[in-house]
Amino acid sequence: MKDKQTTNQPVGLNINWFPGHMKKGTDQIIANSNQVDMIIEVVDARAIYSSSNYELLNQIAHKPVLTIALKSDYSSLTTSPSPNILLGSIKDKNFRQVVINKINEMLHDKIARAHKKGILKPKFSLMVVGLPNLGKSSLINFLKNKKVLVAKNMPGVTRNQNLVAINDTLYLIDTPGILLKRIDDIETAYKLVLINAIKKDVLVLEHVLKYGFEYYQDNHLNALLNYYHLDHVNDYEDFVNQVCQQKHWITTNGQNDINRFEDQIFNDFSLNKICKVNFDK
């Protein structure tokens, strides 16, 4: 990717972007992790490593962790980068059994010990964690095969922990989306905005879109040109000018309507209307 323009955005963005329930939620997750059998971490398949809450996982590392990378239909990845990372989509009905089979595989020893004690249907609790708006509640609804939790496409919907039985043996605990305490890499922050894990208004949107444009320019130039019906594009400023002129996004004084441009282009980028992506490439 091309060198990024230096911005005045702070490096070391912190949790105060989000409501005060974050610290309380983190403490509760850490405390309750001692009572669960396994952790399911939900990440976004468009940015698996950038959307992993490694700080939280480091504090509950004594439990086995299954990472589920959702929105694989938006990702250019075709295979999982690790055996304990499942790549899939809740739009794929077959993925439900894939997840349940993997959970049973990882709990195999505990299941075997329970059977030796004569417990035919042992009960296991699994805590579902992850950054905001990555699909934790949607995954639980999917595994339950019934809508039991509220799931919306915005950060900060789940505020409390909820217990959901998905079958006779597996119980999932939904948790609030917990952001990293600090984000020391500004590119990670850009990626998290582009996948809707954090709200777009926490950064200068122009910088986020410029980062996204340069990603497409470097990795998916033909898809970018085709989607916006362009013959060529030189840089971000040229992209802004061409799209605004083509779409007639012009203000009454003849200037590019930047607000309209940024709202629409962010929508295009964050909903992967151009092509499948892997921002961690």
Side-chain angles (χ1 to χ4, degrees), residues 7-281:
T7 76
N8 60 358
Q9 284 299 297
V11 176
L13 309 165
N14 73 54
I15 200 169
N16 291 329
W17 282 347
F18 290 92
H21 73 276
M22 286 287 182
K23 183 180 187 304
K24 180 180 177 182
T26 301
D27 293 344
Q28 192 175 11
I29 288 172
I30 294 170
N32 289 349
S33 67
N34 293 321
Q35 310 301 319
V36 302
D37 298 284
M38 183 174 162
I39 305 294
I40 294 180
E41 184 196 24
V42 176
V43 298
D44 193 299
R46 296 170 290 178
I48 289 177
Y49 299 107
S50 295
S51 60
S52 174
N53 196 336
Y54 58 88
E55 288 189 0
L56 177 61
L57 289 184
N58 286 341
Q59 297 183 70
I60 53 179
H62 55 291
K63 298 293 181 178
V65 177
L66 169 61
T67 297
I68 299 181
L70 294 179
K71 300 183 181 177
S72 62
D73 48 322
Y74 284 179
S75 174
S76 59
L77 289 174
T78 56
T79 58
S80 172
S82 167
N84 279 353
I85 298 178
L86 289 184
L87 193 65
S89 168
I90 61 173
K91 296 177 184 178
D92 177 7
K93 294 181 180 179
N94 294 325
F95 187 57
R96 178 179 185 273
Q97 195 58 50
V98 172
V99 173
I100 292 174
N101 289 346
K102 184 65 177 180
I103 292 172
N104 288 332
E105 176 189 322
M106 294 181 69
L107 291 173
H108 176 270
D109 291 346
K110 287 191 173 185
I111 294 172
R113 287 196 294 270
H115 286 173
K116 283 185 179 180
K117 295 178 181 178
I119 305 172
L120 299 181
K121 290 187 177 181
K123 300 184 186 304
F124 300 102
S125 58
L126 296 81
M127 184 178 289
V128 182
V129 302
L131 301 187
N133 201 37
L134 294 187
K136 296 182 297 298
S137 297
S138 295
L139 175 68
I140 292 174
N141 288 336
F142 174 70
L143 295 177
K144 175 68 174 177
N145 208 17
K146 180 181 180 182
K147 186 174 181 180
V148 291
L149 299 174
V150 175
K152 293 184 179 179
N153 188 30
M154 63 178 69
V157 173
T158 301
R159 296 301 179 90
N160 300 300
Q161 296 187 13
N162 302 289
L163 182 66
V164 177
I166 62 170
N167 56 33
D168 290 340
T169 62
L170 301 178
Y171 292 78
L172 301 186
I173 302 171
D174 190 23
T175 63
I178 304 298
L179 193 67
L180 305 176
K181 290 183 179 178
R182 291 181 61 83
I183 299 175
D184 294 318
D185 178 3
I186 193 65
E187 290 195 17
T188 297
Y190 291 150
K191 293 173 187 178
L192 294 180
V193 173
L194 286 169
I195 64 173
N196 280 311
I198 56 180
K199 297 177 181 179
K200 65 180 180 180
D201 57 1
V202 302
L203 293 175
V204 176
L205 190 53
E206 176 189 357
H207 298 161
V208 175
L209 295 180
K210 185 174 186 292
Y211 177 85
F213 165 79
E214 290 178 349
Y215 166 81
Y216 284 107
Q217 186 182 36
D218 290 346
N219 298 282
H220 305 287
L221 178 58
N222 288 337
L224 181 75
L225 295 177
N226 289 338
Y227 186 81
Y228 292 104
H229 307 291
L230 304 176
D231 294 326
H232 68 282
V233 65
N234 296 322
D235 53 26
Y236 181 71
E237 290 71 22
D238 183 39
F239 177 60
V240 174
N241 287 330
Q242 287 199 60
V243 172
C244 284
Q245 293 296 319
Q246 178 196 99
K247 303 288 188 182
H248 303 292
W249 293 341
I250 307 298
T251 63
T252 55
N253 62 0
Q255 302 298 312
N256 291 332
D257 189 338
I258 298 301
N259 288 336
R260 185 173 182 183
F261 169 85
E262 289 184 346
D263 285 345
Q264 183 58 55
I265 300 306
F266 177 77
N267 188 58
D268 293 345
F269 285 5
S270 64
L271 295 179
N272 285 86
K273 292 187 175 182
I274 298 167
C275 65
K276 294 182 177 183
V277 299
N278 175 17
F279 289 123
D280 281 345
K281 183 175 181 180

